[in-house]
Amino acid sequence: RCGAGNIHARVGLDIDCIEFGTNDSVWPIVKDNIAVDVVLIDEAQFMTESQVMDLVIVAKEYDITVVCYGLKTDFSGNLFVGSAKLLAIADKFEVLKTVCWCGDGATQNARVDKNGNMVTVGQSIEVGDVGRYVPLCMKHYARHQPTPKHPENFDAYSLMINQAYRHELLGDADESSGDTLSEVDMARPELAK
């Protein structure tokens, strides 16, 4: 988003960085720059398990502080691979607080489409337009309500979700509904009108 070798914070700070991809081992990168006191990893959710374990070597064998920043879950509420491994092995973790539009603490990261409707199906990783992601509390995430302007009438949506859930997972759906969970999600914006 900021160009190669640069991290740009939304508050206006810029800093040079060393990039690495999912096929790169982190340990050799740090070893080549061993005169460091602290290793900061941004977007740590995109790391692989082996890259996270490389950071253990950096921290424990070379006594270098490692600090990772990233999201815990994707827009559909699933743990990222890197985040899951970090949560499992980190000595310490802190949640950086953010706020939902209602003022409550945001715990979810929702993706919205070009019309501002919440999206819950699609590729887990979509890098680029930060404006497509909205921090939400669990209440408004569950209601698919990314802004106060979105309707709160989700009775029909809830009924469809329950029927699709019973059909797909339990095999005992109401005969009148053959909808799948994906079809239900795609229908939600129409139901909310």
Side-chain angles (χ1 to χ4, degrees):
R1 204 170 56 226
C2 323
N6 181 265
I7 294 176
H8 176 76
R10 292 179 200 142
V11 295
L13 301 174
D14 283 294
I15 189 167
D16 291 335
C17 66
I18 299 170
E19 292 184 358
F20 61 93
T22 55
N23 294 325
D24 296 326
S25 178
V26 178
W27 164 236
I29 295 170
V30 175
K31 189 172 104 177
D32 290 344
N33 296 280
I34 205 68
V36 299
D37 297 319
V38 177
V39 172
L40 299 174
I41 305 287
D42 193 25
E43 305 289 0
Q45 71 268 19
F46 299 130
M47 296 177 71
T48 64
E49 287 190 4
S50 63
Q51 288 172 329
V52 172
M53 293 309 295
D54 274 356
L55 295 176
V56 172
I57 294 169
V58 171
K60 302 304 179 187
E61 295 295 325
Y62 292 91
D63 199 28
I64 296 173
T65 300
V66 176
V67 180
C68 297
Y69 294 92
L71 298 173
K72 180 175 67 173
T73 59
D74 66 12
F75 72 98
S76 58
N78 296 313
L79 284 169
F80 284 103
V81 171
S83 302
K85 192 64 175 177
L86 284 165
L87 287 168
I89 67 167
D91 290 334
K92 174 182 165 185
F93 70 91
E94 292 180 37
V95 176
L96 298 179
K97 305 288 184 195
T98 189
V99 180
C100 178
W101 59 262
C102 70
D104 286 346
T107 59
Q108 304 302 309
N109 188 35
R111 182 186 289 169
V112 295
D113 64 16
K114 64 182 178 182
N115 299 317
N117 295 310
M118 199 168 124
V119 178
T120 58
V121 294
Q123 294 293 323
S124 178
I125 298 173
E126 184 177 294
V127 179
D129 187 3
V130 177
R132 292 208 48 210
Y133 294 92
V134 179
L136 294 177
C137 66
M138 183 51 82
K139 174 182 170 182
H140 291 112
Y141 180 84
R143 287 184 177 178
H144 288 217
Q145 194 175 7
T147 72
K149 296 178 181 176
H150 279 74
E152 291 191 52
N153 182 10
F154 290 99
D155 292 339
Y157 176 65
S158 295
L159 180 63
M160 285 179 70
I161 280 284
N162 288 331
Q163 288 175 343
Y165 175 78
R166 284 193 306 270
H167 177 70
E168 288 189 8
L169 300 178
L170 305 176
D172 62 348
D174 181 349
E175 292 296 321
S176 64
S177 174
D179 296 325
T180 66
L181 289 174
S182 296
E183 290 168 340
V184 167
D185 189 69
M186 294 303 190
R188 194 213 53 81
E190 290 302 313
L191 291 170
K193 289 181 180 174

